[in-house]
Amino acid sequence: MKKLLLVSGLVLGLSACSTPQEPQLTVAPQPVISSVPVAQNKALVIESRDLRTAQFVAVVDNGRKNVQPIQSTSNVRIVLEDALTRQLNSQGFRVVADSKGKLRIDVLDALVKVEHSVFSHDMTTNVQIQLVAETSENKFVKRYTGKSTSEGASSASVEDMEIALNSLLEAVLQDIARDAQLTTFMSENF
């Protein structure tokens, strides 16, 4: 009986070691928290859609037709909706379940592309988010984009890709926070 337990434990231990874990990126951009509210408790509903053609957040090309897609540990749409909600709350807007003012977040692109060669890597990150602010009478649509590139002497790690994507998402959130046209539209129409 002891030998059977030992063998089964050994087999389970070896099978756990043989199944490789696919790498995943943690997408967690920090919102821009405003110290001075610009809106006077204006209520709005936030909705979001993920319109990306593929749901992975990184693609690593090691050459020789060896391309590896990498998923996110969490839903990118939900993460961005949460970050923008916290950002708008700090600006004095109030996110509610029902309101005449609606803000929709369309995630159009959020991708890190890495090309590895023998001794280096090139990394290109793209983010594109469209915001649609609307009431029954008025509509405001604007796209916020960001692109960054970097090179390195060794292969890019998962952490390098996370930093690249989260930094660019934070830059886009900063553009949204500073957009006077958007803030004015929501303040006047919501």
Side-chain angles (χ1 to χ4, degrees):
M1 187 66 170
K2 286 183 181 181
K3 287 182 182 180
L4 182 61
L5 286 174
L6 179 63
V7 170
S8 66
L10 187 60
V11 168
L12 285 174
L14 288 175
S15 68
C17 292
S18 67
T19 54
Q21 288 285 354
E22 291 293 323
Q24 290 186 322
L25 296 187
T26 301
V27 179
Q30 296 302 308
V32 178
I33 302 301
S34 176
S35 58
V36 179
V38 292
Q40 300 301 319
N41 210 23
K42 296 283 186 171
L44 70 139
V45 174
I46 290 189
E47 300 171 347
S48 60
R49 300 185 304 183
D50 193 341
L51 302 177
R52 297 176 297 152
T53 55
Q55 297 306 304
F56 46 82
V57 292
V59 176
V60 179
D61 185 352
N62 292 320
R64 291 180 241 140
K65 298 184 181 180
N66 183 10
V67 178
Q68 177 187 21
I70 300 176
Q71 302 289 332
S72 172
T73 57
S74 54
N75 186 315
V76 174
R77 177 186 64 80
I78 300 294
V79 167
L80 287 172
E81 185 177 317
D82 179 56
L84 194 57
T85 297
R86 291 186 289 152
Q87 185 167 305
L88 290 169
N89 283 336
S90 77
Q91 291 178 322
F93 291 99
R94 191 169 38 97
V95 178
V96 296
D98 188 34
S99 173
K100 72 172 189 168
K102 292 185 180 177
L103 180 66
R104 189 182 73 228
I105 307 160
D106 294 334
V107 182
L108 305 175
D109 196 8
L111 184 65
V112 179
K113 291 180 184 175
V114 180
E115 290 186 20
H116 281 148
S117 63
V118 177
F119 299 109
S120 65
H121 72 269
D122 293 322
M123 189 163 41
T124 303
T125 309
N126 289 300
V127 168
Q128 187 173 36
I129 296 171
Q130 177 174 274
L131 292 185
V132 179
E134 63 184 324
T135 63
S136 57
E137 300 88 32
N138 298 315
K139 189 176 198 176
F140 177 90
V141 180
K142 190 165 184 181
R143 287 189 180 182
Y144 301 87
T145 60
K147 181 176 183 174
S148 69
T149 58
S150 66
E151 298 174 356
S154 61
S155 61
S157 68
V158 169
E159 292 78 22
D160 294 336
M161 291 180 255
E162 285 176 349
I163 289 169
L165 184 56
N166 285 317
S167 296
L168 196 55
L169 286 169
E170 288 171 3
V172 168
L173 286 170
Q174 196 167 53
D175 288 346
I176 293 169
R178 292 180 179 161
D179 190 339
Q181 288 179 317
L182 175 65
T183 305
T184 300
F185 178 87
M186 294 194 319
S187 296
E188 290 176 355
N189 292 285
F190 290 1

